[in-house]
Amino acid sequence: MSSTELPAVLATTVTPRVGTVRVAEGERLRSVGLPGITLTVRSRPPVREGLPPALYVHGLGGSSQNWSALMPLLDGLVDSEALDLPGFGDSPPPDDGNYSVTGHARAVIRYLDAAERGPVHLFGNSLGGAVATRVAAVRPDLVETLTLISPALPEIRAQRTAWPTALLSVPGVARLFTRLTKDWSAEQRVRGVMALCYGDPGMVTPEGFRDAVEEMERRLALPYFWDAMARSSRGLVNAYTLGGQHGLWRQAERVLAPTLLVYGGRDQLVAYRMARRAARAFRDSRLLSLPDAGHVAMMEYPETVASAFRELLAETGELTSPAGADAGS
């Protein structure tokens, strides 16, 4: 894509279709066409010019909506954008069918290179944490700081509650699961997901639950939903088996950006015990432990995560504007 074509592409705003993708107050969606992929990007208009850019990457089965609680709390600090990885949210599958961690990382890099937004404050949750780690390791020029919330980094002994997700990577399991659960309602599926991802599912508001059910109904109607889930799960499992310079832990050691690590004590997908290993692996790290949080702290405790990020900016000298220092507090 030439530089003359880019502004027109990035300026294209997609009007959300009724009954499809939810857009919170103050958010907007746009579709960005890149070689081999089309990405949907969720953003909030910056409160003033000159704010440093931030990019948020969701986890397996998630979407850019997972960041809607956190982004407004950082309005005065950063210019926020969250993308839907290929095959998730409102982004169609990649042309080459590559759902590996490297494939997702390339999508993030392609977007940042095309948009010329780097270096950014890069956020990642779960699978998105693994993707963000790889991006920060191979393209340090694109990452100013790194915030990882329950990053899906390799574990030798995974928790039993994480096994079903890993099993999706086995050929044929997703198809079998689809048949076995064909009579499950969207409400049942959402309750299951929330029980797995939240430290306390009871903290989800009735409105939040309804929104999640609507989104689940939309995704289940997509012909590629289970394929994207299965292949991304397989890609994550494959990434766990890589050794040498391509191993995720080795790449974590190569990250130069100041890193904020957020782990939940009730996380059923990423073991809380991995927090200490992560803090040792990332050379310039600080750790936020949330004993009552589950797998999605940015949705469960967005104010706490926002405060920790603000402290990261202060520590690294990025928080220089008096207006920005008070934002979100």
Side-chain angles (χ1 to χ4, degrees):
M1 179 177 296
S2 68
S3 58
T4 57
E5 294 172 328
L6 180 60
V9 173
L10 292 183
T12 301
T13 300
V14 176
T15 302
R17 298 179 298 276
V18 176
T20 56
V21 180
R22 184 178 65 88
V23 182
E25 183 178 356
E27 293 181 347
R28 58 190 178 191
L29 295 180
R30 69 180 186 277
S31 181
V32 179
L34 298 168
I37 55 173
T38 299
L39 300 175
T40 295
V41 179
R42 182 180 304 263
S43 63
R44 295 181 59 83
V47 297
R48 65 178 184 278
E49 294 184 2
L51 287 175
L55 186 69
Y56 308 79
V57 186
H58 63 80
L60 181 67
S63 75
S64 58
Q65 293 185 46
N66 294 163
W67 302 100
S68 289
L70 179 64
M71 288 198 297
L73 300 178
L74 303 181
D75 272 352
L77 297 175
V78 294
D79 179 359
S80 291
E81 291 187 342
L83 57 77
D84 290 331
L85 290 172
F88 293 92
D90 206 33
S91 292
D95 289 352
D96 61 4
N98 187 348
Y99 287 100
S100 67
V101 171
T102 297
H104 286 313
R106 285 173 180 162
V108 173
I109 290 170
R110 284 178 187 172
Y111 173 69
L112 289 176
D113 278 341
E116 298 182 345
R117 280 177 60 84
V120 299
H121 296 288
L122 186 61
F123 292 70
N125 169 237
S126 192
L127 167 63
V131 171
T133 297
R134 183 150 291 174
V135 171
V138 302
R139 289 292 304 274
D141 58 305
L142 293 178
V143 182
E144 189 71 36
T145 67
L146 185 63
T147 297
L148 303 177
I149 301 169
S150 296
L153 300 175
E155 299 181 42
I156 296 177
R157 294 179 292 106
Q159 301 178 100
R160 290 185 179 181
T161 45
W163 290 359
T165 302
L167 284 174
L168 279 177
S169 66
V170 178
V173 168
R175 189 176 300 108
L176 174 62
F177 183 77
T178 303
R179 289 203 304 268
L180 293 176
T181 63
K182 62 183 177 64
D183 295 328
W184 289 12
S185 67
E187 289 87 349
Q188 288 175 305
R189 295 176 190 272
V190 168
R191 292 189 191 280
V193 170
M194 289 183 171
L196 186 63
C197 292
Y198 279 74
D200 176 13
M203 69 192 308
V204 179
T205 65
E207 180 183 9
F209 180 77
R210 287 194 301 271
D211 290 339
V213 170
E214 290 180 4
E215 176 63 10
M216 178 64 73
E217 291 173 339
R218 186 191 71 83
R219 293 188 190 185
L220 289 171
L222 297 173
Y224 54 83
F225 172 77
W226 285 112
D227 186 58
M229 286 286 292
R231 293 194 182 203
S232 290
S233 180
R234 191 175 308 142
L236 188 57
V237 171
N238 288 342
Y240 279 21
T241 65
L242 289 176
Q245 295 299 318
H246 298 291
L248 284 169
W249 283 115
R250 183 66 64 85
Q251 291 193 322
E253 295 170 353
R254 291 167 50 191
V255 171
L256 301 176
T259 303
L260 170 63
L261 301 165
V262 183
Y263 280 81
R266 295 183 179 180
D267 195 331
Q268 299 181 66
L269 294 171
V270 171
Y272 189 54
R273 66 176 181 272
M274 301 305 293
R276 289 186 179 181
R277 180 175 180 180
R280 292 193 301 267
F282 291 89
R283 65 181 69 188
D284 184 7
S285 69
R286 60 277 299 145
L287 175 63
L288 172 62
S289 297
L290 299 175
D292 294 326
H295 191 60
V296 287
M298 72 286 189
M299 300 171 71
E300 301 169 90
Y301 298 97
E303 293 87 359
T304 306
V305 174
S307 178
F309 175 70
R310 193 177 303 113
E311 292 175 7
L312 172 66
L313 295 189
E315 290 176 14
T316 58
E318 296 289 330
L319 190 61
T320 57
S321 169
D326 294 336
S329 60

